[in-house]
Amino acid sequence: MKSARKILTLFATTMTLAASSFNVSAQDISVSQEEMVVEYYAIPSPDEILSYIHNNEIGYTRSLLTDPTKSNLYQTSTDRLLSFGFYMADMAYSASFEQSGTALRYFEVTETIGKNINLFPPEIQNIGERLMNNMNRMDSINEIYDELYLLVIANLHDTDRFGEYALISAGGFIESMYLALNSNGSKIKEDEFGMRVWDQKMILDQLNNMFNKYLNETQKKQLLGDFEGLNAAFSEYSTSEASERTSEKRSDGAVVIGSNSTEPSTSNPIDKIHKEVNKLRDKWVKK
């Protein structure tokens, strides 16, 4: 996972070179615009989104994984790209819990999908054999996973297929969140997840930007509609956090925290995020 972060950092840094793809000269790009371009390509991999699982003592929960035998049910281009994202997340999840046989099964599924929709560059052709030769070496499997993901994303960038990258990232993001929130023994909602909501909100904002910029009108309408509930849940969380931080001084000198709210909230905003993640994942995954 550390190697993936280093490579992703370097990869994201080089994305400012993509200015030529937008027909903009280097002189015309301000620092803030350069940072915006980088953000479009800095979506964490499913492996990175899942990286805090073991810190919260989450238990491996096989029943949560997307059924690999249903991969042929994803017929449209959009569905296939989304499914590639959540099958990659399932592979990362399995590998992180040292379930090498399951991780290999999900590699086989992603390999089939990737070849069918031309996601794989030539360098990926020998990865399956390398996985077979490293079945008992989880560090090697994790490194191969990192390499697989980065090669796919680099290939999409090199061929200006940013809309496809957005869809793959969306599938991986939702599946990773689903696995993290629903695994046996999960305490993320009570502990760690509360501190990571802002990280996930940033990823969600980047995805929304990519949907608007790179998807065709049909895809854009579908994806923005699908994410409407989750966007609202994150916005509600942001509002509730801001409300808790507000204060007002009464005439008697006492400070009232969260005084902007006339009625105390009876719902947990993180529960709504959890509900919307499950809802969207259920809509996308074929049963």
Side-chain angles (χ1 to χ4, degrees), residues 46-47 50 53-54 58-65 87-99 102-103 106 142 145 175-176 178-180 182-184:
D47 180 53
L50 287 162
I53 282 181
H54 291 304
I58 290 176
Y60 176 69
T61 312
R62 176 69 179 83
S63 60
L64 294 176
L65 297 174
Y87 281 132
M88 285 291 289
D90 292 334
M91 181 181 172
Y93 180 79
S94 301
S96 71
F97 284 99
E98 301 188 1
Q99 303 293 318
T102 304
Y106 281 103
N142 281 316
Y145 169 87
E175 183 75 354
S176 299
Y178 174 80
L179 293 169
N182 292 284
S183 289
N184 291 336

PDB file of all heavy atoms in Angstrom, residues 46-47 50 53-54 58-65 87-99 102-103 106 142 145 175-176 178-180 182-184:
ATOM      1  N   PRO A  46      -9.033   1.815  -4.684  1.00  0.00           N
ATOM      2  CA  PRO A  46      -9.787   1.079  -3.653  1.00  0.00           C
ATOM      3  C   PRO A  46      -8.884   0.584  -2.539  1.00  0.00           C
ATOM      4  O   PRO A  46      -9.277   0.571  -1.365  1.00  0.00           O
ATOM      5  CB  PRO A  46     -10.401  -0.072  -4.444  1.00  0.00           C
ATOM      6  CG  PRO A  46     -10.560   0.457  -5.827  1.00  0.00           C
ATOM      7  CD  PRO A  46      -9.344   1.326  -6.040  1.00  0.00           C
ATOM      8  N   ASP A  47      -7.670   0.183  -2.877  1.00  0.00           N
ATOM      9  CA  ASP A  47      -6.705  -0.288  -1.891  1.00  0.00           C
ATOM     10  C   ASP A  47      -6.435   0.788  -0.846  1.00  0.00           C
ATOM     11  O   ASP A  47      -6.367   0.508   0.358  1.00  0.00           O
ATOM     12  CB  ASP A  47      -5.414  -0.686  -2.614  1.00  0.00           C
ATOM     13  CG  ASP A  47      -4.350  -1.196  -1.667  1.00  0.00           C
ATOM     14  OD1 ASP A  47      -4.656  -2.108  -0.887  1.00  0.00           O
ATOM     15  OD2 ASP A  47      -3.224  -0.697  -1.707  1.00  0.00           O
ATOM     16  N   LEU A  50      -9.474   1.465   1.419  1.00  0.00           N
ATOM     17  CA  LEU A  50      -9.650   0.379   2.381  1.00  0.00           C
ATOM     18  C   LEU A  50      -8.501   0.259   3.379  1.00  0.00           C
ATOM     19  O   LEU A  50      -8.550  -0.578   4.277  1.00  0.00           O
ATOM     20  CB  LEU A  50      -9.778  -0.955   1.627  1.00  0.00           C
ATOM     21  CG  LEU A  50     -11.100  -1.191   0.893  1.00  0.00           C
ATOM     22  CD1 LEU A  50     -10.948  -2.299  -0.142  1.00  0.00           C
ATOM     23  CD2 LEU A  50     -12.209  -1.536   1.876  1.00  0.00           C
ATOM     24  N   ILE A  53      -8.883  -0.276   7.230  1.00  0.00           N
ATOM     25  CA  ILE A  53      -9.737  -1.340   7.747  1.00  0.00           C
ATOM     26  C   ILE A  53      -9.106  -2.052   8.936  1.00  0.00           C
ATOM     27  O   ILE A  53      -9.721  -2.194   9.991  1.00  0.00           O
ATOM     28  CB  ILE A  53     -10.070  -2.370   6.645  1.00  0.00           C
ATOM     29  CG1 ILE A  53     -11.158  -1.798   5.734  1.00  0.00           C
ATOM     30  CG2 ILE A  53     -10.551  -3.691   7.210  1.00  0.00           C
ATOM     31  CD1 ILE A  53     -11.582  -2.712   4.625  1.00  0.00           C
ATOM     32  N   HIS A  54      -7.878  -2.508   8.791  1.00  0.00           N
ATOM     33  CA  HIS A  54      -7.274  -3.296   9.863  1.00  0.00           C
ATOM     34  C   HIS A  54      -7.039  -2.471  11.121  1.00  0.00           C
ATOM     35  O   HIS A  54      -7.013  -3.023  12.218  1.00  0.00           O
ATOM     36  CB  HIS A  54      -5.965  -3.923   9.375  1.00  0.00           C
ATOM     37  CG  HIS A  54      -6.162  -4.985   8.345  1.00  0.00           C
ATOM     38  ND1 HIS A  54      -6.964  -6.094   8.571  1.00  0.00           N
ATOM     39  CD2 HIS A  54      -5.694  -5.118   7.088  1.00  0.00           C
ATOM     40  CE1 HIS A  54      -6.957  -6.862   7.497  1.00  0.00           C
ATOM     41  NE2 HIS A  54      -6.204  -6.287   6.572  1.00  0.00           N
ATOM     42  N   ILE A  58     -11.646  -4.611  11.709  1.00  0.00           N
ATOM     43  CA  ILE A  58     -12.791  -5.124  10.961  1.00  0.00           C
ATOM     44  C   ILE A  58     -12.506  -6.553  10.538  1.00  0.00           C
ATOM     45  O   ILE A  58     -11.386  -6.886  10.164  1.00  0.00           O
ATOM     46  CB  ILE A  58     -13.049  -4.238   9.725  1.00  0.00           C
ATOM     47  CG1 ILE A  58     -13.569  -2.883  10.186  1.00  0.00           C
ATOM     48  CG2 ILE A  58     -14.014  -4.888   8.765  1.00  0.00           C
ATOM     49  CD1 ILE A  58     -13.758  -1.904   9.072  1.00  0.00           C
ATOM     50  N   GLY A  59     -13.527  -7.396  10.611  1.00  0.00           N
ATOM     51  CA  GLY A  59     -13.363  -8.782  10.228  1.00  0.00           C
ATOM     52  C   GLY A  59     -13.726  -9.023   8.768  1.00  0.00           C
ATOM     53  O   GLY A  59     -14.664  -8.421   8.238  1.00  0.00           O
ATOM     54  N   TYR A  60     -12.962  -9.902   8.131  1.00  0.00           N
ATOM     55  CA  TYR A  60     -13.239 -10.268   6.744  1.00  0.00           C
ATOM     56  C   TYR A  60     -14.644 -10.853   6.639  1.00  0.00           C
ATOM     57  O   TYR A  60     -15.016 -11.764   7.390  1.00  0.00           O
ATOM     58  CB  TYR A  60     -12.208 -11.302   6.280  1.00  0.00           C
ATOM     59  CG  TYR A  60     -12.439 -11.839   4.885  1.00  0.00           C
ATOM     60  CD1 TYR A  60     -12.263 -11.036   3.764  1.00  0.00           C
ATOM     61  CD2 TYR A  60     -12.823 -13.167   4.689  1.00  0.00           C
ATOM     62  CE1 TYR A  60     -12.454 -11.536   2.485  1.00  0.00           C
ATOM     63  CE2 TYR A  60     -13.016 -13.679   3.413  1.00  0.00           C
ATOM     64  CZ  TYR A  60     -12.830 -12.862   2.322  1.00  0.00           C
ATOM     65  OH  TYR A  60     -13.020 -13.366   1.049  1.00  0.00           O
ATOM     66  N   THR A  61     -15.438 -10.337   5.714  1.00  0.00           N
ATOM     67  CA  THR A  61     -16.833 -10.731   5.570  1.00  0.00           C
ATOM     68  C   THR A  61     -17.086 -11.099   4.117  1.00  0.00           C
ATOM     69  O   THR A  61     -17.431 -10.248   3.300  1.00  0.00           O
ATOM     70  CB  THR A  61     -17.775  -9.586   6.017  1.00  0.00           C
ATOM     71  OG1 THR A  61     -17.349  -9.080   7.284  1.00  0.00           O
ATOM     72  CG2 THR A  61     -19.209 -10.083   6.123  1.00  0.00           C
ATOM     73  N   ARG A  62     -16.901 -12.357   3.819  1.00  0.00           N
ATOM     74  CA  ARG A  62     -16.969 -12.843   2.438  1.00  0.00           C
ATOM     75  C   ARG A  62     -18.314 -12.542   1.779  1.00  0.00           C
ATOM     76  O   ARG A  62     -18.381 -12.256   0.578  1.00  0.00           O
ATOM     77  CB  ARG A  62     -16.700 -14.357   2.420  1.00  0.00           C
ATOM     78  CG  ARG A  62     -16.837 -15.014   1.042  1.00  0.00           C
ATOM     79  CD  ARG A  62     -15.734 -14.573   0.118  1.00  0.00           C
ATOM     80  NE  ARG A  62     -15.818 -15.190  -1.202  1.00  0.00           N
ATOM     81  CZ  ARG A  62     -16.583 -14.769  -2.196  1.00  0.00           C
ATOM     82  NH1 ARG A  62     -17.361 -13.688  -2.005  1.00  0.00           N
ATOM     83  NH2 ARG A  62     -16.587 -15.378  -3.371  1.00  0.00           N
ATOM     84  N   SER A  63     -19.394 -12.583   2.560  1.00  0.00           N
ATOM     85  CA  SER A  63     -20.736 -12.427   1.995  1.00  0.00           C
ATOM     86  C   SER A  63     -20.978 -11.041   1.403  1.00  0.00           C
ATOM     87  O   SER A  63     -21.917 -10.851   0.632  1.00  0.00           O
ATOM     88  CB  SER A  63     -21.797 -12.709   3.068  1.00  0.00           C
ATOM     89  OG  SER A  63     -21.664 -11.804   4.156  1.00  0.00           O
ATOM     90  N   LEU A  64     -20.136 -10.070   1.752  1.00  0.00           N
ATOM     91  CA  LEU A  64     -20.323  -8.712   1.240  1.00  0.00           C
ATOM     92  C   LEU A  64     -19.835  -8.557  -0.198  1.00  0.00           C
ATOM     93  O   LEU A  64     -20.254  -7.639  -0.898  1.00  0.00           O
ATOM     94  CB  LEU A  64     -19.574  -7.707   2.123  1.00  0.00           C
ATOM     95  CG  LEU A  64     -20.054  -7.530   3.559  1.00  0.00           C
ATOM     96  CD1 LEU A  64     -19.134  -6.569   4.294  1.00  0.00           C
ATOM     97  CD2 LEU A  64     -21.493  -7.037   3.602  1.00  0.00           C
ATOM     98  N   LEU A  65     -18.948  -9.432  -0.633  1.00  0.00           N
ATOM     99  CA  LEU A  65     -18.313  -9.262  -1.928  1.00  0.00           C
ATOM    100  C   LEU A  65     -19.295  -9.443  -3.082  1.00  0.00           C
ATOM    101  O   LEU A  65     -20.239 -10.223  -2.997  1.00  0.00           O
ATOM    102  CB  LEU A  65     -17.162 -10.254  -2.076  1.00  0.00           C
ATOM    103  CG  LEU A  65     -16.014 -10.087  -1.077  1.00  0.00           C
ATOM    104  CD1 LEU A  65     -15.003 -11.215  -1.239  1.00  0.00           C
ATOM    105  CD2 LEU A  65     -15.335  -8.738  -1.258  1.00  0.00           C
ATOM    106  N   TYR A  87     -15.208  -4.679  -8.678  1.00  0.00           N
ATOM    107  CA  TYR A  87     -14.452  -5.932  -8.648  1.00  0.00           C
ATOM    108  C   TYR A  87     -12.995  -5.677  -8.247  1.00  0.00           C
ATOM    109  O   TYR A  87     -12.379  -6.505  -7.565  1.00  0.00           O
ATOM    110  CB  TYR A  87     -14.509  -6.629 -10.006  1.00  0.00           C
ATOM    111  CG  TYR A  87     -15.811  -7.372 -10.261  1.00  0.00           C
ATOM    112  CD1 TYR A  87     -16.509  -7.209 -11.458  1.00  0.00           C
ATOM    113  CD2 TYR A  87     -16.354  -8.232  -9.299  1.00  0.00           C
ATOM    114  CE1 TYR A  87     -17.704  -7.884 -11.699  1.00  0.00           C
ATOM    115  CE2 TYR A  87     -17.542  -8.913  -9.533  1.00  0.00           C
ATOM    116  CZ  TYR A  87     -18.212  -8.733 -10.733  1.00  0.00           C
ATOM    117  OH  TYR A  87     -19.396  -9.404 -10.956  1.00  0.00           O
ATOM    118  N   MET A  88     -12.436  -4.542  -8.658  1.00  0.00           N
ATOM    119  CA  MET A  88     -11.091  -4.186  -8.214  1.00  0.00           C
ATOM    120  C   MET A  88     -11.070  -3.952  -6.701  1.00  0.00           C
ATOM    121  O   MET A  88     -10.113  -4.335  -6.012  1.00  0.00           O
ATOM    122  CB  MET A  88     -10.608  -2.937  -8.946  1.00  0.00           C
ATOM    123  CG  MET A  88     -10.192  -3.161 -10.384  1.00  0.00           C
ATOM    124  SD  MET A  88      -8.672  -4.134 -10.551  1.00  0.00           S
ATOM    125  CE  MET A  88      -7.453  -2.957  -9.985  1.00  0.00           C
ATOM    126  N   ALA A  89     -12.118  -3.324  -6.176  1.00  0.00           N
ATOM    127  CA  ALA A  89     -12.206  -3.112  -4.732  1.00  0.00           C
ATOM    128  C   ALA A  89     -12.312  -4.445  -3.999  1.00  0.00           C
ATOM    129  O   ALA A  89     -11.707  -4.640  -2.938  1.00  0.00           O
ATOM    130  CB  ALA A  89     -13.402  -2.226  -4.400  1.00  0.00           C
ATOM    131  N   ASP A  90     -13.079  -5.388  -4.554  1.00  0.00           N
ATOM    132  CA  ASP A  90     -13.203  -6.707  -3.945  1.00  0.00           C
ATOM    133  C   ASP A  90     -11.868  -7.445  -3.951  1.00  0.00           C
ATOM    134  O   ASP A  90     -11.533  -8.168  -3.008  1.00  0.00           O
ATOM    135  CB  ASP A  90     -14.256  -7.538  -4.686  1.00  0.00           C
ATOM    136  CG  ASP A  90     -15.666  -7.002  -4.508  1.00  0.00           C
ATOM    137  OD1 ASP A  90     -15.922  -6.339  -3.488  1.00  0.00           O
ATOM    138  OD2 ASP A  90     -16.508  -7.233  -5.398  1.00  0.00           O
ATOM    139  N   MET A  91     -11.120  -7.280  -5.015  1.00  0.00           N
ATOM    140  CA  MET A  91      -9.790  -7.885  -5.086  1.00  0.00           C
ATOM    141  C   MET A  91      -8.888  -7.301  -4.004  1.00  0.00           C
ATOM    142  O   MET A  91      -8.166  -8.042  -3.312  1.00  0.00           O
ATOM    143  CB  MET A  91      -9.190  -7.657  -6.470  1.00  0.00           C
ATOM    144  CG  MET A  91      -7.814  -8.280  -6.652  1.00  0.00           C
ATOM    145  SD  MET A  91      -7.135  -7.945  -8.313  1.00  0.00           S
ATOM    146  CE  MET A  91      -5.471  -8.593  -8.102  1.00  0.00           C
ATOM    147  N   ALA A  92      -8.898  -5.971  -3.834  1.00  0.00           N
ATOM    148  CA  ALA A  92      -8.080  -5.322  -2.814  1.00  0.00           C
ATOM    149  C   ALA A  92      -8.485  -5.775  -1.417  1.00  0.00           C
ATOM    150  O   ALA A  92      -7.636  -6.034  -0.558  1.00  0.00           O
ATOM    151  CB  ALA A  92      -8.218  -3.807  -2.932  1.00  0.00           C
ATOM    152  N   TYR A  93      -9.789  -5.872  -1.178  1.00  0.00           N
ATOM    153  CA  TYR A  93     -10.318  -6.301   0.118  1.00  0.00           C
ATOM    154  C   TYR A  93      -9.850  -7.718   0.434  1.00  0.00           C
ATOM    155  O   TYR A  93      -9.366  -8.007   1.537  1.00  0.00           O
ATOM    156  CB  TYR A  93     -11.839  -6.223   0.065  1.00  0.00           C
ATOM    157  CG  TYR A  93     -12.588  -6.631   1.314  1.00  0.00           C
ATOM    158  CD1 TYR A  93     -12.708  -5.758   2.389  1.00  0.00           C
ATOM    159  CD2 TYR A  93     -13.233  -7.859   1.397  1.00  0.00           C
ATOM    160  CE1 TYR A  93     -13.436  -6.109   3.516  1.00  0.00           C
ATOM    161  CE2 TYR A  93     -13.963  -8.223   2.517  1.00  0.00           C
ATOM    162  CZ  TYR A  93     -14.062  -7.347   3.576  1.00  0.00           C
ATOM    163  OH  TYR A  93     -14.784  -7.703   4.694  1.00  0.00           O
ATOM    164  N   SER A  94      -9.978  -8.615  -0.532  1.00  0.00           N
ATOM    165  CA  SER A  94      -9.570 -10.003  -0.328  1.00  0.00           C
ATOM    166  C   SER A  94      -8.075 -10.108  -0.071  1.00  0.00           C
ATOM    167  O   SER A  94      -7.627 -10.832   0.823  1.00  0.00           O
ATOM    168  CB  SER A  94      -9.946 -10.848  -1.551  1.00  0.00           C
ATOM    169  OG  SER A  94     -11.329 -10.805  -1.797  1.00  0.00           O
ATOM    170  N   ALA A  95      -7.290  -9.376  -0.844  1.00  0.00           N
ATOM    171  CA  ALA A  95      -5.842  -9.418  -0.677  1.00  0.00           C
ATOM    172  C   ALA A  95      -5.428  -8.863   0.681  1.00  0.00           C
ATOM    173  O   ALA A  95      -4.508  -9.391   1.313  1.00  0.00           O
ATOM    174  CB  ALA A  95      -5.161  -8.643  -1.790  1.00  0.00           C
ATOM    175  N   SER A  96      -6.120  -7.818   1.152  1.00  0.00           N
ATOM    176  CA  SER A  96      -5.748  -7.211   2.426  1.00  0.00           C
ATOM    177  C   SER A  96      -5.990  -8.155   3.591  1.00  0.00           C
ATOM    178  O   SER A  96      -5.364  -8.027   4.649  1.00  0.00           O
ATOM    179  CB  SER A  96      -6.515  -5.896   2.637  1.00  0.00           C
ATOM    180  OG  SER A  96      -7.883  -6.134   2.904  1.00  0.00           O
ATOM    181  N   PHE A  97      -6.903  -9.112   3.420  1.00  0.00           N
ATOM    182  CA  PHE A  97      -7.169 -10.121   4.454  1.00  0.00           C
ATOM    183  C   PHE A  97      -6.509 -11.459   4.125  1.00  0.00           C
ATOM    184  O   PHE A  97      -6.856 -12.485   4.705  1.00  0.00           O
ATOM    185  CB  PHE A  97      -8.678 -10.307   4.634  1.00  0.00           C
ATOM    186  CG  PHE A  97      -9.341  -9.200   5.397  1.00  0.00           C
ATOM    187  CD1 PHE A  97     -10.012  -8.190   4.729  1.00  0.00           C
ATOM    188  CD2 PHE A  97      -9.274  -9.144   6.776  1.00  0.00           C
ATOM    189  CE1 PHE A  97     -10.627  -7.151   5.424  1.00  0.00           C
ATOM    190  CE2 PHE A  97      -9.874  -8.111   7.482  1.00  0.00           C
ATOM    191  CZ  PHE A  97     -10.549  -7.114   6.801  1.00  0.00           C
ATOM    192  N   GLU A  98      -5.549 -11.415   3.192  1.00  0.00           N
ATOM    193  CA  GLU A  98      -4.757 -12.595   2.833  1.00  0.00           C
ATOM    194  C   GLU A  98      -5.608 -13.742   2.307  1.00  0.00           C
ATOM    195  O   GLU A  98      -5.300 -14.911   2.521  1.00  0.00           O
ATOM    196  CB  GLU A  98      -3.891 -13.045   4.024  1.00  0.00           C
ATOM    197  CG  GLU A  98      -2.942 -11.959   4.504  1.00  0.00           C
ATOM    198  CD  GLU A  98      -1.961 -12.450   5.549  1.00  0.00           C
ATOM    199  OE1 GLU A  98      -2.000 -13.646   5.901  1.00  0.00           O
ATOM    200  OE2 GLU A  98      -1.154 -11.624   6.003  1.00  0.00           O
ATOM    201  N   GLN A  99      -6.660 -13.398   1.611  1.00  0.00           N
ATOM    202  CA  GLN A  99      -7.506 -14.389   0.947  1.00  0.00           C
ATOM    203  C   GLN A  99      -7.044 -14.504  -0.502  1.00  0.00           C
ATOM    204  O   GLN A  99      -7.664 -14.000  -1.427  1.00  0.00           O
ATOM    205  CB  GLN A  99      -8.974 -13.955   1.023  1.00  0.00           C
ATOM    206  CG  GLN A  99      -9.496 -13.736   2.426  1.00  0.00           C
ATOM    207  CD  GLN A  99      -9.565 -15.035   3.221  1.00  0.00           C
ATOM    208  OE1 GLN A  99      -9.975 -16.068   2.699  1.00  0.00           O
ATOM    209  NE2 GLN A  99      -9.173 -14.964   4.478  1.00  0.00           N
ATOM    210  N   THR A 102      -9.365 -16.001  -3.315  1.00  0.00           N
ATOM    211  CA  THR A 102     -10.453 -15.091  -3.669  1.00  0.00           C
ATOM    212  C   THR A 102      -9.924 -13.899  -4.454  1.00  0.00           C
ATOM    213  O   THR A 102     -10.540 -13.462  -5.438  1.00  0.00           O
ATOM    214  CB  THR A 102     -11.180 -14.602  -2.408  1.00  0.00           C
ATOM    215  OG1 THR A 102     -11.651 -15.734  -1.664  1.00  0.00           O
ATOM    216  CG2 THR A 102     -12.363 -13.720  -2.760  1.00  0.00           C
ATOM    217  N   ALA A 103      -8.780 -13.384  -4.037  1.00  0.00           N
ATOM    218  CA  ALA A 103      -8.176 -12.263  -4.762  1.00  0.00           C
ATOM    219  C   ALA A 103      -7.873 -12.656  -6.204  1.00  0.00           C
ATOM    220  O   ALA A 103      -8.111 -11.878  -7.140  1.00  0.00           O
ATOM    221  CB  ALA A 103      -6.898 -11.809  -4.063  1.00  0.00           C
ATOM    222  N   TYR A 106     -11.027 -12.638  -8.328  1.00  0.00           N
ATOM    223  CA  TYR A 106     -11.436 -11.302  -8.743  1.00  0.00           C
ATOM    224  C   TYR A 106     -10.487 -10.718  -9.777  1.00  0.00           C
ATOM    225  O   TYR A 106     -10.907  -9.915 -10.615  1.00  0.00           O
ATOM    226  CB  TYR A 106     -11.586 -10.382  -7.527  1.00  0.00           C
ATOM    227  CG  TYR A 106     -12.892 -10.644  -6.819  1.00  0.00           C
ATOM    228  CD1 TYR A 106     -12.931 -11.370  -5.630  1.00  0.00           C
ATOM    229  CD2 TYR A 106     -14.095 -10.227  -7.367  1.00  0.00           C
ATOM    230  CE1 TYR A 106     -14.132 -11.650  -4.997  1.00  0.00           C
ATOM    231  CE2 TYR A 106     -15.306 -10.505  -6.753  1.00  0.00           C
ATOM    232  CZ  TYR A 106     -15.316 -11.220  -5.573  1.00  0.00           C
ATOM    233  OH  TYR A 106     -16.510 -11.516  -4.964  1.00  0.00           O
ATOM    234  N   ASN A 142      -0.152  -7.931  -3.146  1.00  0.00           N
ATOM    235  CA  ASN A 142      -0.543  -6.530  -2.968  1.00  0.00           C
ATOM    236  C   ASN A 142       0.226  -5.621  -3.916  1.00  0.00           C
ATOM    237  O   ASN A 142      -0.338  -4.667  -4.467  1.00  0.00           O
ATOM    238  CB  ASN A 142      -0.301  -6.099  -1.510  1.00  0.00           C
ATOM    239  CG  ASN A 142      -1.387  -6.581  -0.572  1.00  0.00           C
ATOM    240  OD1 ASN A 142      -2.571  -6.502  -0.882  1.00  0.00           O
ATOM    241  ND2 ASN A 142      -0.988  -7.108   0.573  1.00  0.00           N
ATOM    242  N   TYR A 145      -1.285  -6.047  -7.307  1.00  0.00           N
ATOM    243  CA  TYR A 145      -2.555  -5.315  -7.372  1.00  0.00           C
ATOM    244  C   TYR A 145      -2.297  -3.831  -7.648  1.00  0.00           C
ATOM    245  O   TYR A 145      -2.942  -3.221  -8.505  1.00  0.00           O
ATOM    246  CB  TYR A 145      -3.337  -5.464  -6.064  1.00  0.00           C
ATOM    247  CG  TYR A 145      -4.519  -4.519  -6.001  1.00  0.00           C
ATOM    248  CD1 TYR A 145      -5.750  -4.892  -6.531  1.00  0.00           C
ATOM    249  CD2 TYR A 145      -4.395  -3.244  -5.470  1.00  0.00           C
ATOM    250  CE1 TYR A 145      -6.818  -4.011  -6.526  1.00  0.00           C
ATOM    251  CE2 TYR A 145      -5.454  -2.358  -5.457  1.00  0.00           C
ATOM    252  CZ  TYR A 145      -6.663  -2.748  -5.984  1.00  0.00           C
ATOM    253  OH  TYR A 145      -7.710  -1.874  -5.990  1.00  0.00           O
ATOM    254  N   GLU A 175     -17.938   0.667  -3.673  1.00  0.00           N
ATOM    255  CA  GLU A 175     -17.706  -0.683  -3.149  1.00  0.00           C
ATOM    256  C   GLU A 175     -16.777  -0.649  -1.932  1.00  0.00           C
ATOM    257  O   GLU A 175     -17.003  -1.365  -0.949  1.00  0.00           O
ATOM    258  CB  GLU A 175     -17.123  -1.581  -4.242  1.00  0.00           C
ATOM    259  CG  GLU A 175     -16.924  -3.030  -3.820  1.00  0.00           C
ATOM    260  CD  GLU A 175     -18.206  -3.838  -3.738  1.00  0.00           C
ATOM    261  OE1 GLU A 175     -19.313  -3.253  -3.899  1.00  0.00           O
ATOM    262  OE2 GLU A 175     -18.127  -5.058  -3.517  1.00  0.00           O
ATOM    263  N   SER A 176     -15.748   0.177  -1.974  1.00  0.00           N
ATOM    264  CA  SER A 176     -14.827   0.285  -0.843  1.00  0.00           C
ATOM    265  C   SER A 176     -15.535   0.816   0.392  1.00  0.00           C
ATOM    266  O   SER A 176     -15.343   0.306   1.511  1.00  0.00           O
ATOM    267  CB  SER A 176     -13.647   1.197  -1.205  1.00  0.00           C
ATOM    268  OG  SER A 176     -12.925   0.684  -2.296  1.00  0.00           O
ATOM    269  N   TYR A 178     -18.722   0.618   0.987  1.00  0.00           N
ATOM    270  CA  TYR A 178     -19.671  -0.426   1.389  1.00  0.00           C
ATOM    271  C   TYR A 178     -18.976  -1.500   2.230  1.00  0.00           C
ATOM    272  O   TYR A 178     -19.474  -1.899   3.288  1.00  0.00           O
ATOM    273  CB  TYR A 178     -20.298  -1.050   0.139  1.00  0.00           C
ATOM    274  CG  TYR A 178     -21.184  -2.243   0.403  1.00  0.00           C
ATOM    275  CD1 TYR A 178     -22.492  -2.085   0.844  1.00  0.00           C
ATOM    276  CD2 TYR A 178     -20.700  -3.541   0.199  1.00  0.00           C
ATOM    277  CE1 TYR A 178     -23.299  -3.186   1.087  1.00  0.00           C
ATOM    278  CE2 TYR A 178     -21.502  -4.645   0.436  1.00  0.00           C
ATOM    279  CZ  TYR A 178     -22.801  -4.462   0.880  1.00  0.00           C
ATOM    280  OH  TYR A 178     -23.599  -5.559   1.124  1.00  0.00           O
ATOM    281  N   LEU A 179     -17.833  -1.964   1.772  1.00  0.00           N
ATOM    282  CA  LEU A 179     -17.099  -2.989   2.509  1.00  0.00           C
ATOM    283  C   LEU A 179     -16.627  -2.466   3.859  1.00  0.00           C
ATOM    284  O   LEU A 179     -16.717  -3.166   4.883  1.00  0.00           O
ATOM    285  CB  LEU A 179     -15.898  -3.459   1.679  1.00  0.00           C
ATOM    286  CG  LEU A 179     -16.218  -4.222   0.392  1.00  0.00           C
ATOM    287  CD1 LEU A 179     -14.955  -4.390  -0.450  1.00  0.00           C
ATOM    288  CD2 LEU A 179     -16.843  -5.576   0.695  1.00  0.00           C
ATOM    289  N   ALA A 180     -16.125  -1.238   3.884  1.00  0.00           N
ATOM    290  CA  ALA A 180     -15.607  -0.673   5.129  1.00  0.00           C
ATOM    291  C   ALA A 180     -16.700  -0.479   6.172  1.00  0.00           C
ATOM    292  O   ALA A 180     -16.497  -0.727   7.360  1.00  0.00           O
ATOM    293  CB  ALA A 180     -14.917   0.655   4.842  1.00  0.00           C
ATOM    294  N   ASN A 182     -19.716  -2.059   6.335  1.00  0.00           N
ATOM    295  CA  ASN A 182     -20.578  -3.200   6.622  1.00  0.00           C
ATOM    296  C   ASN A 182     -19.850  -4.464   7.078  1.00  0.00           C
ATOM    297  O   ASN A 182     -20.498  -5.455   7.408  1.00  0.00           O
ATOM    298  CB  ASN A 182     -21.409  -3.539   5.371  1.00  0.00           C
ATOM    299  CG  ASN A 182     -22.427  -2.470   5.048  1.00  0.00           C
ATOM    300  OD1 ASN A 182     -23.469  -2.345   5.682  1.00  0.00           O
ATOM    301  ND2 ASN A 182     -22.112  -1.657   4.048  1.00  0.00           N
ATOM    302  N   SER A 183     -18.542  -4.450   7.116  1.00  0.00           N
ATOM    303  CA  SER A 183     -17.802  -5.639   7.526  1.00  0.00           C
ATOM    304  C   SER A 183     -18.078  -5.982   8.989  1.00  0.00           C
ATOM    305  O   SER A 183     -18.390  -5.108   9.811  1.00  0.00           O
ATOM    306  CB  SER A 183     -16.296  -5.432   7.332  1.00  0.00           C
ATOM    307  OG  SER A 183     -15.955  -5.432   5.970  1.00  0.00           O
ATOM    308  N   ASN A 184     -17.955  -7.257   9.314  1.00  0.00           N
ATOM    309  CA  ASN A 184     -18.166  -7.714  10.693  1.00  0.00           C
ATOM    310  C   ASN A 184     -17.252  -6.962  11.657  1.00  0.00           C
ATOM    311  O   ASN A 184     -16.067  -6.749  11.375  1.00  0.00           O
ATOM    312  CB  ASN A 184     -17.879  -9.213  10.812  1.00  0.00           C
ATOM    313  CG  ASN A 184     -18.906 -10.059  10.092  1.00  0.00           C
ATOM    314  OD1 ASN A 184     -20.039  -9.640   9.880  1.00  0.00           O
ATOM    315  ND2 ASN A 184     -18.507 -11.261   9.707  1.00  0.00           N
TER     316      ASN A 184
END
